[in-house]
Amino acid sequence: SNDLTASLLRQSATADPMDRQSMTALAPVGTGLTTQEAARRLDFFGPNCLEEKKTNALLKFLGYFWGPMPIMIWLASLIELINESVPDLCVLLLLQLINGLVGYVEEKNAGNAIDALKASLTPKCTVKRDGRWQGLDAKNLVPGDVINLKLGDIIPADCRLAEGQPVSVDQAALTGESLPVTLYPGDSGKMGATVKRGEIEAHVTAT
């Protein structure tokens, strides 16, 4: 996955400027992007989400045999080995193995539960594709998409507001501003901000 990300970054950096310009061209507000064009841009820019770093399962498992408590067991095992006390040595090694297995399985189960929760809370958005509005996972947005923002929505990607009435947006988590700010047509909306009042369409400018 890291190689894929690096490849996309190199592709984006070395792409023909004219090709990149066509990839970021704004879709008509009335129709939005076509499914084919959106797929082409998604392949070019990648998903609208942060890549999660994956940990090697074997290294994580071995990590449970290193730490304050495992080291104490290793030292005790070494002493029993020097004393040639085979039964005690076997008990200590078995205890070490059981502790490692239990810790690994418990963390794996907790990680699976967190992944399932993340999947159920995947950010959604309303986007216009092929001339009609549809619900979509925010990770599938691409530059140029036309999205609808309304009360309670979390802005799914950096965007520029289209024509319409101004909206009130809470950007406290991003900028530290204590009060919502009013955004007008042409202003930029930041990914992660929350719409507090109004409704407007916007063009995605970056993912």
Side-chain angles (χ1 to χ4, degrees), residues 10-88:
R10 288 195 299 271
Q11 180 182 7
S12 177
T14 60
D16 186 330
M18 292 300 293
D19 186 44
R20 185 173 181 82
Q21 184 176 359
S22 69
M23 286 287 191
T24 56
L26 303 181
V29 174
T31 60
L33 294 174
T34 63
T35 301
Q36 293 78 9
E37 177 62 19
R40 191 167 73 98
R41 297 188 185 195
L42 183 62
D43 182 61
F44 184 84
F45 290 104
N48 176 40
C49 61
L50 295 176
E51 183 181 7
E52 294 187 7
K53 184 178 180 181
K54 298 295 183 180
T55 305
N56 184 286
L58 178 60
L59 292 179
K60 179 176 287 189
F61 174 69
L62 293 178
Y64 284 95
F65 298 99
W66 187 257
M69 184 59 69
I71 288 177
M72 291 179 63
I73 297 178
W74 288 127
L75 291 175
S77 300
L78 180 61
I79 293 173
E80 297 301 335
L81 178 63
I82 294 173
N83 293 334
E84 299 183 353
S85 179
V86 177
D88 291 340

Side-chain angles (χ1 to χ4, degrees), residues 59-143:
L59 292 179
K60 179 176 287 189
F61 174 69
L62 293 178
Y64 284 95
F65 298 99
W66 187 257
M69 184 59 69
I71 288 177
M72 291 179 63
I73 297 178
W74 288 127
L75 291 175
S77 300
L78 180 61
I79 293 173
E80 297 301 335
L81 178 63
I82 294 173
N83 293 334
E84 299 183 353
S85 179
V86 177
D88 291 340
L89 174 62
C90 291
V91 169
L92 289 171
L93 293 178
L94 180 62
L95 177 63
Q96 186 82 292
L97 179 62
I98 292 175
N99 284 340
L101 284 172
V102 170
Y104 176 76
V105 171
E106 286 185 347
E107 182 170 340
K108 184 175 178 61
N109 290 338
N112 291 340
I114 292 174
D115 289 341
L117 180 61
K118 285 182 178 179
S120 67
L121 298 177
T122 299
K124 304 288 184 180
C125 63
T126 303
V127 60
K128 184 172 283 188
R129 295 269 177 91
D130 298 317
R132 61 186 181 85
W133 293 106
Q134 55 184 281
L136 193 72
D137 287 346
K139 67 180 181 181
N140 293 322
L141 285 177
V142 296

Side-chain angles (χ1 to χ4, degrees), residues 166-178:
V167 293
S168 179
V169 175
D170 182 2
Q171 302 180 143
L174 304 174
T175 64
E177 296 169 291
S178 58

